[in-house]
Amino acid sequence: MIELRDVTVSYPLPNGTRKTVVENLSLEIRRSEMAYLIGPTGSGKSTLLRLLYMDRFPDKGVVRVDEYRSDRIRKKDIPYLRRSMGVVFQDFQLLPDRSAYENVAFALYVTGKSGAEVKHDVMRALARVGLSHKRNQYPHELSGGEQQRVVIARAIANHPWVLLADEPTGNLDPGVADEIQELLVSLHRQGMTLLMATHDYRIVKKYPARTLALMNGQVVEVDPETL
C-alpha cells in the first residue's frame, strides 16, 4: 500500500520565503488500485510522485510505500525501493545510442541480473507492450507512441507491483495517447497498481478510475464525469 500521512512539502524562493506545495496531506492508494492525480501545472503532481520514489522527502509527515518509510529509510535502501516500482515519464528519457532492447536491458543490468535473466525479462516486457518485432530499432527509428511503449517496457521489466506515470500521454496525439492509455489500463487489470498524473481530462473521462484532484495543497476525490 501507498500512504501519505500529514505530509507537508515546500520549496525555497529567491526572496527567502518558501512556497508550500502540499500541506498536511493524507492519502492512501491500495495495492492493485488504479488512480489518476489531476491538477493544473504547478499544483504539485510531479512532486507527489517524487515523494513516492523518494527522490524528494517531506518537510513534515511520513510517506510509506510498502515496507519503506520516508522517516526511516536508509540511503542505501532507496535503490531497492525503486526496483519495486516502475516510473514512466512524459519525455521518454531513452538512450539515443541504444536499441529498444538495450534501453530496457540497461535498467536490468544495473540490478545485477545475469545475461540470461536480462534477456528473458526484456523480451517478456517488450512482448507485453507489443514491440518484440522492433527490439533492434533505435529511438529515432520509432514513433512517439512506440518510444513511450519502450519506456513502459523498461518500467515493468523488473516486475514492479506499482507503476507511477507522470503525464505519460502528454506529448502524444489523441489517437496514440489512447493506445498508450489502453496499454496502461491493461497492465492494471493484470494486477499492477497504477497511479497516473495527468492534465488530460479527456483520457480520465474515457478511461474512468478513482480520480484525485490536487488543489491548494490538498487532495480532493472527484467524479471524473464532472470534469
Side-chain angles (χ1 to χ4, degrees):
M1 186 175 71
I2 293 170
E3 180 182 22
L4 287 81
R5 189 62 62 201
D6 299 322
V7 166
T8 296
V9 178
S10 63
Y11 288 98
L13 296 176
N15 63 7
T17 62
R18 298 186 70 87
K19 173 180 172 57
T20 299
V21 182
V22 296
E23 187 169 16
N24 298 322
L25 174 68
S26 294
L27 172 67
E28 290 183 1
I29 304 290
R30 296 179 297 276
R31 187 177 284 267
S32 300
E33 186 173 15
M34 174 178 171
Y36 293 106
L37 183 65
I38 64 172
T41 300
S43 61
K45 300 189 299 297
S46 295
T47 297
L48 195 148
L49 294 184
R50 288 179 63 200
L51 288 170
L52 299 185
Y53 56 89
M54 299 196 189
D55 185 50
R56 180 75 165 83
F57 287 84
D59 301 339
K60 299 178 183 177
V62 176
V63 177
R64 182 166 69 90
V65 181
D66 208 4
E67 74 268 27
Y68 298 98
R69 291 173 52 116
S70 61
D71 59 338
R72 298 178 183 171
I73 193 168
R74 296 173 296 181
K75 187 174 182 180
K76 67 179 184 179
D77 289 331
I78 292 177
Y80 296 99
L81 159 71
R82 293 176 181 170
R83 289 176 197 175
S84 72
M85 56 176 54
V87 184
V88 177
F89 298 100
Q90 176 180 355
D91 55 358
F92 307 150
Q93 297 188 8
L94 294 173
L95 300 169
D97 59 342
R98 308 283 178 95
S99 67
Y101 179 98
E102 292 166 335
N103 265 280
V104 179
F106 180 79
L108 294 175
Y109 279 123
V110 297
T111 68
K113 288 192 173 185
S114 69
E117 288 178 301
V118 168
K119 183 175 181 180
H120 175 271
D121 288 346
V122 172
M123 294 308 297
R124 181 175 181 271
L126 288 173
R128 291 181 77 182
V129 303
L131 276 186
S132 298
H133 62 300
K134 296 201 172 182
R135 59 186 177 275
N136 294 322
Q137 291 189 256
Y138 289 79
H140 73 273
E141 299 174 310
L142 301 171
S143 68
E146 289 169 340
Q147 290 183 59
Q148 190 61 294
R149 285 175 181 268
V150 175
V151 173
I152 294 170
R154 182 178 62 188
I156 66 174
N158 208 38
H159 315 291
W161 68 272
V162 58
L163 188 62
L164 306 177
D166 193 359
E167 302 282 3
T169 62
N171 288 335
L172 304 174
D173 293 334
V176 179
D178 284 353
E179 292 177 7
I180 294 300
Q181 189 61 25
E182 286 167 7
L183 171 59
L184 294 173
V185 170
S186 73
L187 292 170
H188 159 66
R189 288 174 178 161
Q190 294 168 42
M192 192 173 293
T193 307
L194 174 62
L195 178 59
M196 174 176 165
T198 184
H199 63 264
D200 189 345
Y201 293 174
R202 183 191 67 83
I203 285 282
V204 177
K205 294 179 74 171
K206 188 170 182 178
Y207 305 92
R210 183 185 181 195
T211 303
L212 307 167
L214 188 54
M215 299 181 294
N216 301 319
Q218 289 293 313
V219 164
V220 179
E221 194 155 344
V222 298
D223 181 351
E225 289 299 320
T226 64
L227 298 175

